Amino acid sequence: MSPVVMGAFVLAGTILVMMTGMPIAFSLGLVSVAALVVFEGPHSLDFLAETFMGGLDDFTLVSIPMFVLMGAAVASSRAGRDLYEALDRWLYRVPGGLVISNLGACALFAALTGSSPATCAAIGKMGIPEMRKRGYPDEIATGSIAAGGTLGILIPPSLTFILYGIATETSIGRLFLAGVVPGILLTGLFMIWTWFAVRRSGHMAYAPDFRWSWREKFASLPKVLPFLAIIGAVMWALYGGVATPSEAAGVGALFCLLLAIVLYRMWRIQDLVAIFRDTTKESVMILMIIAASILFGYMLTNLYLTQSLAQWIAALDVNRWVLMAAINLLLLVAGCFLPPAAIILMTTPILLPIITAAGFDTVWFGVILTINMEVGLITPPVGLNLYVINGIAPDVPLSKILWGAAPYVGCMLLAIVALCVFPGIATWLPDQLMGPAAG
């Protein structure tokens, strides 16, 4: 049977299994085992256990539960509320300042947790009721938080970058640095659109004569600054050559946990159990997807599907930017149905040889891929962030949340275009701090 026919069967089987609602890890494992048995016979399973467990035989993976623990400790505390209140007190005079404060809080909280759903939940629980109480339209109140939450997978430290770095053997440190400027750019685009939309509507969250005193402004900072200091320390340890990603993640997790205990008095056994329970559940889920995706990649390679597709695309006489546009379209569609971790681990074995053959930088492409994943988080039919926001504000129709998030999708697409026109937006900072990439 030709690789094309086998690939069609594998694709159809993968779609059908995932449509059943089976967890991603089990879906990938089932499709991999079934394809190997059908096309190569039972003897192909001799290396099944070795391949599956080999996918987890990487010390870099230790950083995943550590960063998850770091995020769980922060998400379980009231840090999101304190970030929101601090920014609100400093930005309240700006048109749309309350929404902009929420977006800024999303960006900072994203840097602490690396999780989009956690960012949506933490900032949304405080921000959405407050924005609605002060008269902001439901579309702006919910759509802005749904979009701001997506920054969790772009602004470092990001689990998405860790997974991409492991899958492509790309420096995680370079990926983290590559996400900084695009993360700031995207946050800025979100804020500019918000300022324009609110100014156009003429809405003011506070009375014209309302003032926060300087004392009140500075009083909001003590609980926020220690967490921001942890972000700075983790980044410094990574890029200063002091620690590996795993070591930096471990120290960051320890200090976030200690701050949650000291600042927010989370020393009760049930508080700590909840933090470690959430960490264990999310870490096991991610690691299972990694192991299953390695098996899925082994199956694709063994059946010569990856190589055949790469050769077919390489033989196409098309401009490399046309090729990149097609890849972006593929990622946008996939992002509407699958979570970022699954897309990265499933598609990189296929896409990596294609983008390297076309002369694209793998670090730059990691940022492009991540922004595509952000779009998928706020677009139907899956759109995880949309459902998180709907859970926070169940009386707001999903259609209103989607309509409010739509302009931010435009900002993300604009950011992708800007990165394609000016790749240095992603590559300049890692090149400056770590030197030009080899090769």
Side-chain angles (χ1 to χ4, degrees):
M1 190 177 294
S2 71
V4 174
V5 176
M6 286 191 291
F9 276 113
V10 169
L11 177 62
T14 304
I15 293 172
L16 287 174
V17 170
M18 288 191 172
M19 285 176 64
T20 65
M22 184 183 295
I24 298 293
F26 298 140
S27 298
L28 294 178
L30 177 61
V31 171
S32 303
V33 170
L36 287 170
V37 170
V38 169
F39 297 122
E40 291 207 330
H43 66 86
S44 61
L45 301 183
D46 291 346
F47 299 99
L48 178 66
E50 183 179 346
T51 303
F52 187 86
M53 297 306 297
L56 301 177
D57 186 18
D58 187 340
F59 186 72
T60 309
L61 291 175
V62 174
S63 63
I64 291 178
M66 292 297 99
F67 277 123
V68 172
L69 174 58
M70 182 175 168
V74 175
S76 299
S77 71
R78 297 189 302 276
R81 186 195 68 181
D82 290 339
L83 277 171
Y84 159 76
E85 288 182 347
L87 286 166
D88 180 34
R89 292 185 184 188
W90 286 89
L91 297 174
Y92 73 104
R93 300 300 300 169
V94 179
L98 189 60
V99 188
I100 292 174
S101 299
N102 279 284
L103 290 170
C106 283
L108 294 174
F109 198 81
L112 284 166
T113 64
S115 168
S116 289
T119 301
C120 274
I123 306 302
K125 285 176 184 176
M126 182 68 184
I128 291 174
E130 193 67 21
M131 284 189 284
R132 297 179 72 191
K133 185 173 72 175
R134 297 186 189 174
Y136 283 100
D138 288 346
E139 292 89 342
I140 292 179
T142 56
S144 60
I145 299 292
T150 66
L151 297 169
I153 62 173
L154 179 62
I155 296 176
S158 162
L159 288 176
T160 302
F161 281 145
I162 294 174
L163 295 176
Y164 177 82
I166 292 169
T168 61
E169 297 183 355
T170 303
S171 165
I172 294 174
R174 296 190 77 88
L175 287 167
F176 279 4
L177 283 174
V180 171
V181 177
I184 295 171
L185 169 67
L186 198 52
T187 305
L189 289 173
F190 286 176
M191 290 180 172
I192 289 170
W193 164 255
T194 299
W195 176 86
F196 172 77
V198 175
R199 186 178 177 85
R200 184 178 58 182
S201 70
H203 179 80
M204 292 291 290
Y206 291 94
D209 59 345
F210 181 85
R211 295 286 186 278
W212 284 109
S213 69
W214 285 103
R215 182 175 182 177
E216 289 172 317
K217 289 181 180 180
F218 283 106
S220 65
L221 298 180
K223 286 188 177 181
V224 173
L225 294 179
F227 285 104
L228 301 184
I230 289 178
I231 299 175
V234 169
M235 296 296 110
W236 173 77
L238 279 173
Y239 309 130
V242 177
T244 65
S246 302
E247 293 165 346
V251 174
L254 173 63
F255 278 101
C256 278
L257 189 60
L258 291 176
L259 282 178
I261 293 172
V262 173
L263 293 180
Y264 298 105
R265 303 178 181 276
M266 298 181 66
W267 51 61
R268 295 180 303 172
I269 292 297
Q270 54 264 45
D271 293 332
L272 298 177
V273 167
I275 291 173
F276 286 110
R277 182 195 63 220
D278 293 344
T279 300
T280 301
K281 287 171 63 177
E282 187 170 348
S283 299
V284 169
M285 176 194 72
I286 293 172
L287 293 172
M288 282 290 290
I289 292 175
I290 291 174
S293 68
I294 295 295
L295 183 61
F296 190 77
Y298 168 79
M299 177 270 295
L300 293 176
T301 303
N302 230 36
L303 300 181
Y304 207 69
L305 302 182
T306 306
Q307 301 92 318
S308 298
L309 180 60
Q311 288 175 1
W312 176 75
I313 292 177
L316 293 176
D317 188 19
V318 296
N319 183 280
R320 69 178 191 144
W321 291 109
V322 174
L323 180 62
M324 180 53 63
I327 291 173
N328 273 283
L329 183 60
L330 168 67
L331 293 172
L332 285 170
V333 172
C336 294
F337 296 93
L338 296 172
I343 295 172
I344 290 170
L345 296 167
M346 287 173 63
T347 61
T348 46
I350 298 172
L351 296 179
L352 186 63
I354 296 171
I355 63 170
T356 52
F360 291 112
D361 184 272
T362 54
V363 172
W364 169 85
F365 180 71
V367 177
I368 294 286
L369 182 148
T370 300
I371 297 178
N372 276 289
M373 299 302 96
E374 288 187 286
V375 175
L377 288 169
I378 55 173
T379 49
V382 177
L384 179 60
N385 283 16
L386 299 177
Y387 294 102
V388 172
I389 297 299
N390 192 229
I392 295 171
D395 57 319
V396 180
L398 200 59
S399 58
K400 274 195 173 184
I401 301 173
L402 178 60
W403 185 252
Y408 298 98
V409 172
C411 292
M412 294 178 192
L413 298 178
L414 180 60
I416 291 175
V417 172
L419 280 162
C420 289
V421 177
F422 305 105
I425 295 172
T427 58
W428 175 80
L429 189 59
D431 285 349
Q432 289 295 310
L433 296 184
M434 301 181 70

